[in-house]
Amino acid sequence: MSINKKALTRYLAYDRCLRNKGARYTWQRLIDEANKSLLEEGLEGIGKTQFYADMKYMELSEWKAPIEKYKDGRTVYFKYSDSAYSINNQPLNETEAKQLKSALQVLSRFKGIPQFEFINEIIPAIETKLGLVTLEREVMSFDNNLDYEGSKFITPLFNAIVNKRSLTVEYQDFKSPLPYTIAFHPYYLKQYNNRWFIFGYNEFTKNEHWNMALDRIKTIEETKAKYIETEVDWEDYFYDFIGVTKKVDYELQTVKLWFSPSQAPYVLTKPIHPTQKSKNTEDGLEVTINVVPNYELEKLILSFGETVKVLSPESFEKTILDRINKTTLLY
């Protein structure tokens, strides 16, 4: 089954709607959702004739999608009769598997090359998830967040960055009782702690390092406003801090930590930051990192519990101590 990009975009949009048990979709609403996805990909929309051809294809193709029509009064709605069904759950056919295997063979040529270390993880992940290798049982597990709300915005934001498109974003952070609108120019997508964040220029605040969590975005719309480009080297920008929060008034500091002998091997094999320098002592391991202290670093330090102690600077030591004291008051 060979499907072009435009058709696949439509089918994925239908699939997302038909397996949504909390909403009801008429043919017009399904067309609207498909056209919205097509617009995000820069593709032309469809009409009623193409929609019904798509429904027939999904039912009769290798997908054998269990599409069901039901009436409420005079209105006809569409849904999957099997709520657990999704076209994403279907195995690849022989042609698709061969094409994907060829692509993986090309990727494998980059193994061992600096900056391509991720390929060592991505190839077995793809082979396992898409059934390109035969297994008697599962032999690998990958961290993911199946219910992550922001996943649907990754592709449109990526396309907006690549195609240099300005956006209007409806956003609601955790502190805001209501959503608000931002005129936004996207530059960089970053994943941290199983969440995705988009960095870019916020026209209202004049901040080119503005970031938003994708799971807090309500809607995204492209605008005809001129795209404002950036000279920021994002790899360099993220180098001197952990996570996604970087306050402009904070300076780079050398943070010295002590780790217990039991924790030392883990910190040596999995450094907490690229600038880490380590020194074994009689009572444990001393580690220094050059970073801009932030909330994510505080959370990381606290996650080590009693196996870590901040030695310097004094200001960061006090910050961690204050948080520990507040925690003890809860018990």
Side-chain angles (χ1 to χ4, degrees):
M1 178 174 57
S2 179
I3 302 173
N4 61 37
K5 180 181 178 181
K6 183 175 181 180
L8 182 59
T9 300
R10 300 196 304 269
Y11 298 141
L12 290 174
Y14 301 143
D15 182 69
R16 185 176 64 251
C17 297
L18 295 172
R19 58 190 170 92
N20 183 351
K21 294 181 289 186
R24 300 202 295 177
Y25 290 90
T26 62
W27 64 268
Q28 184 61 62
R29 190 176 176 191
L30 285 167
I31 291 176
D32 291 342
E33 291 296 324
N35 286 339
K36 181 180 177 181
S37 295
L38 290 167
L39 180 62
E40 290 173 350
E41 297 287 343
L43 300 169
E44 187 178 349
I46 63 163
K48 189 175 182 180
T49 302
Q50 182 63 62
F51 165 76
Y52 278 104
D54 289 344
M55 292 292 103
K56 185 176 180 180
Y57 179 84
M58 291 178 69
E59 290 177 300
L60 301 180
S61 68
E62 295 176 16
W63 283 330
K64 293 192 170 29
I67 299 173
E68 177 184 59
K69 299 178 186 177
Y70 67 98
K71 283 188 175 182
D72 185 353
R74 300 177 63 181
T75 305
V76 178
Y77 297 95
F78 294 75
K79 69 174 182 177
Y80 285 146
S81 58
D82 179 0
S83 60
Y85 177 86
S86 171
I87 62 175
N88 290 314
N89 297 335
Q90 305 307 299
L92 298 173
N93 63 31
E94 185 177 353
T95 300
E96 292 169 331
K98 285 181 179 179
Q99 292 173 339
L100 196 49
K101 283 181 179 179
S102 296
L104 292 177
Q105 287 174 356
V106 173
L107 275 176
S108 65
R109 298 175 187 172
F110 293 89
K111 282 185 177 179
I113 299 177
Q115 299 182 6
F116 286 90
E117 295 87 352
F118 67 93
I119 289 177
N120 294 323
E121 297 180 8
I122 201 172
I123 289 179
I126 294 174
E127 289 178 336
T128 302
K129 291 295 184 182
L130 299 184
L132 298 181
V133 292
T134 302
L135 300 173
E136 294 181 1
R137 55 187 173 82
E138 291 295 327
V139 297
M140 293 185 75
S141 177
F142 303 93
D143 283 339
N144 59 64
N145 186 347
L146 296 177
D147 298 320
Y148 183 62
E149 289 291 328
S151 298
K152 61 186 176 182
F153 295 117
I154 294 175
T155 297
L157 286 169
F158 176 82
N159 291 334
I161 294 170
V162 172
N163 298 312
K164 299 182 179 181
R165 304 287 175 82
S166 59
L167 304 171
T168 297
V169 180
E170 187 182 15
Y171 188 70
Q172 184 177 8
D173 58 51
F174 287 117
K175 296 180 180 179
S176 301
L178 296 172
Y180 52 89
T181 302
I182 298 171
F184 189 69
H185 304 259
Y187 298 143
Y188 196 86
L189 279 161
K190 181 176 176 65
Q191 187 182 33
Y192 177 71
N193 197 24
N194 277 337
R195 295 180 78 198
W196 281 93
F197 298 83
I198 180 69
F199 286 75
Y201 180 71
N202 182 334
E203 284 192 26
F204 302 142
T205 63
K206 309 300 181 185
N207 184 349
E208 66 176 340
H209 304 114
W210 188 266
N211 82 75
M212 295 180 284
L214 268 60
D215 54 299
R216 304 303 300 168
I217 293 176
K218 301 299 182 182
T219 61
I220 293 174
E221 289 186 15
E222 287 191 8
T223 72
K224 294 183 179 180
K226 184 179 179 181
Y227 180 80
I228 299 174
E229 300 196 41
T230 181
E231 297 296 326
V232 175
D233 181 334
W234 291 98
E235 293 297 320
D236 182 66
Y237 176 77
F238 288 109
Y239 184 76
D240 57 8
F241 69 101
I242 293 171
V244 296
T245 308
K246 186 177 184 179
K247 295 184 178 180
V248 294
D249 56 338
Y250 277 32
E251 296 182 353
L252 190 68
Q253 296 187 32
T254 298
V255 177
K256 181 182 287 188
L257 308 167
W258 169 87
F259 288 95
S260 69
S262 63
Q263 189 65 49
Y266 299 97
V267 179
L268 285 171
T269 55
K270 186 182 179 183
I272 61 177
H273 191 264
T275 61
Q276 175 173 314
K277 293 181 180 180
S278 307
K279 182 178 71 173
N280 285 303
T281 64
E282 292 182 359
D283 62 343
L285 181 74
E286 282 190 6
V287 166
T288 59
I289 54 175
N290 297 316
V291 294
V292 176
N294 62 0
Y295 177 71
E296 289 92 327
L297 178 61
E298 293 173 21
K299 286 184 64 177
L300 178 62
I301 298 302
L302 291 168
S303 72
F304 288 107
E306 75 283 359
T307 65
V308 67
K309 179 181 179 181
V310 178
L311 301 178
S312 65
E314 186 178 347
S315 58
F316 189 62
E317 180 184 2
K318 184 178 182 302
T319 297
I320 296 299
L321 182 59
D322 286 345
R323 292 193 63 171
I324 291 173
N325 288 336
K326 289 177 181 177
T327 301
T328 58
L329 294 175
L330 297 176
Y331 295 90

